């Protein structure tokens, strides 16, 4: 535990030293992305699907509009790893022909294929047959997915048309989407900054209006963090609601499995709801996603800030203000408001580190020239710090955590496991089926790519829901004075995803939700 704390303090010090240098180097703003001109790009996936079913729009028109937008913004964002544009247009033509010929009916499609003809995008680590599945690591250069993963298969069965796969950090291990195969992705609101990770390329495309609905995955905030940075909605479901098959690296049968979930990312809250209905259709749990939620019957618990060393990871005033405004709004609507103590949130990082104690984390540092050789973790991490490794620094640090079992003594790890289980039972009892918990998604609104490695501990805001097995939705709350997205996450009890999604829709109506980047 002492070693883990020393590492965190060292990162804080490095961040403190490097931050002014990075700001000085990056002071000049890069060109902004082009503005959204096609009105179709401002329509929700739910509405697009309905209009396609009813013959008011063709799928080909919608698909081509999104392909055009991707081509327009990707030179600024570097979010796309590999595309299937020609195949997607052909898929759309088939959808339109089937509707025109009467082979399919609108009423049937609404029930059986509610995303019929709607384009989607997919995180590169989520298997999409025939497209890149490298994990952004050199040892897998040129690797393609042999089949669709479970989440992609369900969305395609619901009629969705995949357009491309999007960039991630190497092996999904970092806060910034960069790797040595596909390069670094950029934020549509300020291209000097990061779109986050690990679903960062996905978040950037959606935030830029170049995708309407995306597939992400979340193990320590990898859906919600990019959702914050790119101004969109993102939902991490209750573990087990969506099948985990088809992800690289595969978390199944490891101590990280219960932390992991696939989930939807979108610009409109109603699309999260629709996607979750599709993805959870066979889960066999009473999610009751269509059950109405009245704010006056809700109990709202909140924390605006998580205590940290010398306040270094304190939440910025704009995020605290967004939480305050949302709480005040819900209070006016009749919800009861309660502030939670720090005991619920302050040790979430240590809870995560305790998962490395089992020693069954996959070996991720595979030599691209000699796959059978095992890299020395400390040496590789030192080389990566100076840019001399074939692996990125964040992947090397993850491997180091696995090697040294989270830098926690076994006795402490056992203690944290017991505390985690006790906390899960207490929070689920507290929230019940009518309580939500609001807290920041991240301590600030954006991230400088060069500093991402030194902010790893800031994921403790997101890890709370992973550790406690709670569903969580990031809710965008507009832009701050610098034009960067702000927002927070809404959690609920186990299997109470409907509360997160319903509150997201209510707050979108009240505060506007996604705001397009300024051109």
């Amino acid at each position: 535990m002492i070693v883990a704390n020393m590492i965190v303090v060292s990162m804080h010090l490095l961040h403190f030293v490097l931050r002014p240098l990075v700001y000085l180097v990056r002071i000049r703003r890069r060109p902004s992305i082009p503005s959204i001109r096609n009105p179709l790009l401002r329509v929700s996936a739910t509405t697009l699907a309905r209009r396609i079913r009813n013959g008011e729009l063709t799928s080909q028109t919608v698909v081509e509009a999104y392909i055009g937008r991707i081509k327009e913004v990707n030179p600024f964002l570097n979010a796309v790893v590999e595309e299937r544009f020609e195949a997607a247009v052909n898929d759309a033509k088939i959808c339109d022909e089937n509707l025109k010929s009467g082979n399919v009916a609108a009423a049937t499609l609404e029930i059986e294929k509610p995303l019929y003809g709607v384009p989607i995008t997919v995180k590169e680590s989520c298997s999409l047959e025939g497209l890149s599945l490298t994990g952004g690591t050199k040892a897998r250069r040129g690797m393609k997915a042999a089949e669709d993963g479970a989440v992609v298969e369900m969305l395609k069965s619901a009629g969705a048309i995949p357009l491309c796969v999007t960039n991630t950090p190497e092996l999904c291990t970092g806060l910034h989407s960069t790797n040595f195969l596909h390069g670094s992705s950029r934020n549509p609101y300020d291209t000097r900054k990061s779109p986050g990770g690990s679903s960062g390329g996905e978040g950037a495309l959606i935030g830029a209006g170049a995708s309407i609905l995306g597939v992400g995955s979340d193990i320590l905030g990898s859906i919600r963090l990019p959702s914050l940075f790119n101004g969109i909605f993102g939902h991490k479901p209750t573990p087990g609601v969506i099948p985990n098959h088809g992800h690289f690296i595969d978390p199944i049968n490891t101590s990280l499995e219960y932390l992991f979930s696939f989930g939807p990312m979108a610009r409109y809250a109603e699309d999260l709801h629709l996607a979750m209905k599709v993805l959870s259709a066979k889960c066999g749990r009473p999610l009751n996603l269509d059950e109405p939620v009245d704010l006056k019957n809700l109990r709202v618990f909140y924390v605006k800030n998580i205590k940290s060393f010398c306040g270094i990871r304190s939440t910025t005033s704009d995020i605290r203000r967004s939480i305050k405004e949302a709480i005040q709004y819900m209070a006016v609507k009749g919800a009861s408001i309660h502030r939670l103590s720090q005991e619920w949130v302050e040790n979430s990082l240590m809870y995560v580190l305790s998962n490395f104690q089992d020693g069954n984390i996959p070996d991720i540092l595979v030599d691209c020239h000699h796959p059978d050789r095992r890299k020395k973790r400390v040496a590789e991490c030192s080389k990566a710090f100076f840019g001399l490794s074939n692996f990125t620094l964040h992947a090397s640090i993850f491997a180091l955590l696995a090697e040294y079992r989270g830098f926690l003594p076994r006795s402490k790890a056992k203690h944290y496991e017991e505390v985690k289980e006790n906390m899960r039972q207490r929070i689920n009892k507290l929230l019940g089926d009518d309580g939500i918990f609001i807290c920041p998604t991240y301590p600030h609104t954006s991230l400088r790519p060069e500093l991402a490695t030194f902010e790893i501990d800031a994921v403790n805001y997101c890890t709370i829901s992973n550790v406690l097995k709670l569903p969580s939705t990031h809710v965008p709350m507009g832009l701050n004075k610098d034009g960067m997205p702000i927002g927070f996450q809404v959690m609920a009890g186990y299997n109470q995803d409907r509360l997160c999604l319903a509150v997201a829709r209510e707050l979108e109506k009240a505060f506007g939700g996604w705001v397009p980047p300024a051109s």
Side-chain angles (χ1 to χ4, degrees):
M1 182 177 177
I2 293 174
V3 175
N5 285 329
M6 287 177 63
I7 292 173
V8 169
V9 171
S10 298
M11 287 184 170
H12 288 177
L13 290 173
L14 284 168
H15 186 280
F16 179 78
V17 171
L18 294 173
R19 185 179 178 184
L21 299 176
V22 170
Y23 273 68
L24 184 63
V25 170
R26 295 277 188 166
I27 195 168
R28 186 174 179 180
R29 194 177 183 97
R30 288 182 179 179
S32 301
I33 67 170
S35 60
I36 300 172
R37 294 182 296 276
N38 189 333
L40 274 182
L41 302 176
R42 294 175 182 262
V43 179
S44 73
T46 305
T47 301
L48 287 174
R50 184 178 66 251
R51 292 177 66 184
I52 290 170
R53 288 194 302 267
N54 293 338
E56 301 167 23
L57 267 179
T58 65
S59 173
Q60 183 179 350
T61 299
V62 177
V63 167
E64 288 178 344
Y66 273 98
I67 290 173
R69 180 62 177 170
I70 290 173
K71 290 179 177 179
E72 186 177 41
V73 301
N74 196 56
F76 297 85
L77 304 178
N78 188 38
V80 177
V81 170
E82 188 174 10
E83 46 87 0
R84 58 181 304 275
F85 293 160
E86 184 176 346
V89 171
N90 288 334
D91 291 344
K93 288 178 179 178
I94 292 171
C95 285
D96 294 332
E97 288 169 5
N98 285 334
L99 270 171
K100 187 176 181 180
S101 64
N103 289 337
V104 293
T108 304
L109 290 176
E110 184 176 5
I111 298 170
E112 298 179 358
K113 292 183 179 293
L115 287 169
Y116 189 81
V118 174
I120 63 167
T121 49
V122 179
K123 183 179 181 179
E124 199 251 11
S125 60
C126 309
S127 301
L128 174 55
E129 183 180 1
L131 265 62
S132 178
L133 188 65
T134 65
T137 193
K138 288 184 175 181
R140 289 179 60 85
R141 185 188 298 274
M143 295 287 285
K144 307 284 186 180
E147 61 182 4
D148 291 330
V151 66
V152 173
E153 183 180 359
M154 286 188 286
L155 289 169
K156 288 171 73 173
S157 295
I161 300 174
L163 300 181
C164 62
V165 290
T166 54
N167 204 23
T168 72
E170 184 176 17
L171 301 169
C172 297
T173 56
L175 303 187
H176 171 51
S177 291
T178 185
N179 58 72
F180 293 143
L181 284 185
H182 313 303
S184 292
S185 297
R186 294 178 284 274
N187 190 300
Y189 291 85
D190 183 344
T191 52
R192 295 171 299 179
K193 297 180 181 179
S194 172
S198 61
S199 309
E202 199 61 34
L205 274 193
I206 298 171
S211 173
I212 189 60
L213 181 64
V215 176
S217 61
D218 191 307
I219 196 166
L220 296 176
S222 293
I223 287 174
R224 290 156 292 153
L225 180 65
S227 295
L228 166 63
F229 290 174
N230 298 285
I232 62 174
F233 293 88
H235 182 66
K236 183 207 82 70
T238 299
V241 164
I242 298 175
N244 285 349
H245 168 70
H247 191 270
F248 183 80
I249 292 176
D250 188 352
I252 296 175
N253 297 324
T254 74
S255 56
L256 302 181
E257 181 177 2
Y258 82 90
L259 298 173
F260 177 87
S261 295
F262 284 113
M265 303 169 70
R267 277 179 279 141
Y268 302 102
E270 67 175 347
D271 294 340
L272 288 190
H273 179 263
L274 176 59
M276 277 301 298
K277 286 182 66 176
V278 169
L279 295 174
S280 65
K282 298 179 181 180
C283 74
R285 301 189 191 183
L287 297 183
N288 302 318
L289 295 178
D290 288 330
E291 185 177 313
V293 176
D294 193 330
L295 287 187
K296 73 173 181 291
N297 297 324
L298 276 184
R299 294 175 299 122
V300 179
F301 302 88
Y302 74 97
V303 168
K304 289 184 184 179
N305 184 54
I306 296 179
K307 291 177 183 176
S308 61
F309 174 73
C310 295
I312 289 176
R313 296 288 180 254
S314 291
T315 313
T316 54
S317 59
D318 46 9
I319 291 178
R320 293 190 198 196
R321 185 176 64 252
S322 71
I323 292 176
K324 181 180 178 180
E325 289 173 352
I327 288 170
Q328 289 175 338
Y329 171 79
M330 287 188 280
V332 169
K333 290 289 185 177
S336 61
I337 310 297
H338 313 270
R339 186 168 187 166
L340 279 187
S341 68
Q342 288 285 312
E343 69 160 326
W344 297 99
V345 293
E346 60 186 350
N347 286 320
S348 60
L349 185 62
M350 294 302 174
Y351 299 154
V352 171
L353 293 178
S354 69
N355 284 276
F356 287 90
Q357 281 291 311
D358 286 349
N360 63 348
I361 309 299
D363 188 2
I364 66 172
L365 297 191
V366 178
D367 193 316
C368 56
H369 302 297
H370 306 282
D372 56 328
R373 293 184 184 176
R374 193 172 186 276
K375 292 285 187 180
K376 293 181 179 179
R377 303 301 188 260
V378 175
E380 207 60 43
C381 199
S382 301
K383 288 164 61 179
F385 187 83
F386 294 101
L388 302 175
S389 172
N390 282 319
F391 303 96
T392 53
L393 182 55
H394 47 249
S396 302
I397 290 174
F398 183 90
L400 204 61
L401 287 171
E403 175 84 359
Y404 291 97
R405 300 176 183 263
F407 296 102
L408 291 177
R410 192 170 291 276
S411 60
K412 278 292 180 182
K414 184 178 180 181
H415 163 72
Y416 281 124
E417 283 297 327
E418 293 172 352
V419 173
K420 270 192 295 189
E421 188 54 42
N422 177 263
M423 196 71 77
R424 285 181 196 131
Q425 294 176 16
R426 291 174 60 199
I427 193 71
N428 276 291
K429 184 177 180 180
L430 177 71
L431 295 177
D433 60 1
D434 64 349
I436 62 167
F437 173 35
I438 291 177
C439 84
T441 301
Y442 200 71
H444 47 84
T445 61
S446 59
L447 179 68
R448 299 279 177 169
E450 300 84 354
L451 300 175
T453 302
F454 308 110
E455 293 193 19
I456 290 175
D457 63 304
V459 298
N460 63 348
Y461 285 84
C462 275
T463 57
I464 300 160
S465 69
N466 299 80
V467 166
L468 299 180
K469 301 183 180 180
L470 306 177
S472 177
T473 301
H474 174 76
V475 179
M477 292 285 287
L479 309 181
N480 66 7
K481 61 182 178 60
D482 298 318
M484 299 303 295
I486 56 176
F488 50 79
Q489 58 183 326
V490 178
M491 303 178 212
Y494 195 75
N495 286 338
Q496 298 300 322
D497 299 61
R498 67 184 182 90
L499 297 181
C500 302
L501 300 173
V503 169
R505 293 182 73 168
E506 185 68 32
L507 293 176
E508 179 184 39
K509 292 176 187 176
F511 296 96
W514 170 73
V515 177
S519 60

